[in-house]
Amino acid sequence: MKFLPKTPHKRLRSPRGQILILFLLVLVVGLAIVLSISSRTVTDIRTTTTSDESNRAYFAAEAGVEEALRQLDFGNTGDLTLDFNDLNQTEANVNVQSGGSIPRFVFPQVIQKDHVAQVVFLETWDDLSSGSWNGELEILWGGGSPPDQPETPAIEVSVIYKSQVGGQWVIQQGGISKTAFDPYAARPTAFNCTIGSGMATISPPQTLEGFDFNFMATLDVSGPNEDCDSLDAGSGEPVLARIKVLYGPSPIAVRPADPNNQLYAQGWQIESSGNTLSGVTRKLDVTRLFPSLSGLFDYVLFNGSSNPLSK
């Protein structure tokens, strides 16, 4: 009787190594999840902090602008430094400029019908004895409507002049000259100038600072004759021009015909910088135009006689 050879039993390996591998795998997965959540949380906190500081810097810059505008109402035109560290750990540095020359000026808002855009020709806007700009002025307008329709805007330009009397510069009675430009020739109104006579159509429209301009008139404010392209300055020098928009709203821009003959500044340029302690900065640029009378005053009747007016 033969017996089968005995097969030696294989010794079973310990399961403790597999448990270690599973533990490490779970640890790695858990660590990856924790790091992902932590990274997202840190990013959200950083974004929220940056946004909060950006908002605080913006509010500081805005407060600087408001304070500069308030100071201008009191005649103060100097630079400002506002400390808000006790409030929200910010500060504002404000720079106010009102001098110098500019190659052109685009009014920041559309001028509504029967309203006026005023251009100052004095080197110092409230000092008649200061230097006066003169030469050919290009006036651009028209936008937002077809260029040959009844609602196409026209402009009326009134230039006020100063003259010397007794060694002093004054604005005398009659020191004003007017002209007007209407691009819509079919309008039943007698205007000084139409297309081809002192003005031209811009095709395609020219875009300046976000506004489209369809028409341009070139006006010599120191010209010898009161005509389409020149005014009767007499012996005076120009002080300011009032450009009234008729028939419809329109943007207005002005620039010298000669690029070398730049205009004087037309307002105060306010640059306000808001800063936080961590270095976040926001800036605001604001232009405040020089004071101007309402267009209603252009209809005022002046009586130069000692006799009262009567209907």
Side-chain angles (χ1 to χ4, degrees), residues 35-228:
L35 290 177
S36 176
I37 296 175
S38 300
S39 176
R40 183 181 296 273
T41 303
V42 171
T43 301
D44 290 343
I45 293 175
R46 184 183 295 112
T47 301
T48 302
T49 302
T50 302
S51 176
D52 176 67
E53 292 197 355
S54 178
N55 288 335
R56 289 191 286 117
Y58 175 83
F59 294 144
E62 194 174 49
V65 170
E66 293 295 334
E67 179 62 22
L69 293 175
R70 191 178 76 90
Q71 292 297 326
L72 287 176
D73 290 337
F74 292 102
N76 302 323
T77 59
D79 296 343
L80 301 172
T81 298
L82 306 179
D83 188 348
F84 303 116
N85 286 320
D86 294 338
L87 181 63
N88 61 357
Q89 297 183 336
T90 60
E91 68 175 14
N93 298 307
V94 188
N95 176 256
V96 182
Q97 296 181 351
S98 62
S101 57
I102 53 177
R104 72 183 185 203
F105 185 74
V106 180
F107 283 82
Q109 296 179 337
V110 172
I111 308 301
Q112 299 301 314
K113 173 185 173 182
D114 295 329
H115 286 224
V116 171
Q118 182 168 289
V119 183
V120 178
F121 297 130
L122 296 177
E123 185 175 5
T124 303
W125 72 274
D126 57 351
D127 183 5
L128 286 178
S129 63
S130 62
S132 180
W133 183 93
N134 59 65
E136 290 189 337
L137 181 71
E138 293 181 347
I139 306 173
L140 292 80
W141 78 98
S145 63
D148 192 20
Q149 299 292 330
E151 63 270 20
T152 298
I155 60 171
E156 178 188 73
V157 185
S158 304
V159 180
I160 298 174
Y161 295 90
K162 65 178 181 178
S163 56
Q164 269 193 322
V165 177
Q168 292 186 339
W169 288 100
V170 297
I171 299 176
Q172 291 184 303
Q173 177 185 351
I176 183 171
S177 189
K178 292 177 176 284
T179 188
F181 301 90
D182 187 0
Y184 185 52
R187 191 150 23 221
T189 306
F191 268 77
N192 298 49
C193 311
T194 57
I195 294 292
S197 176
M199 63 174 295
T201 299
I202 304 175
S203 182
Q206 184 174 3
T207 300
L208 297 175
E209 299 184 20
F211 297 109
D212 292 333
F213 296 94
N214 304 94
F215 313 106
M216 183 182 72
T218 302
L219 182 66
D220 188 352
V221 299
S222 58
N225 301 309
E226 188 168 352
D227 201 353
C228 282

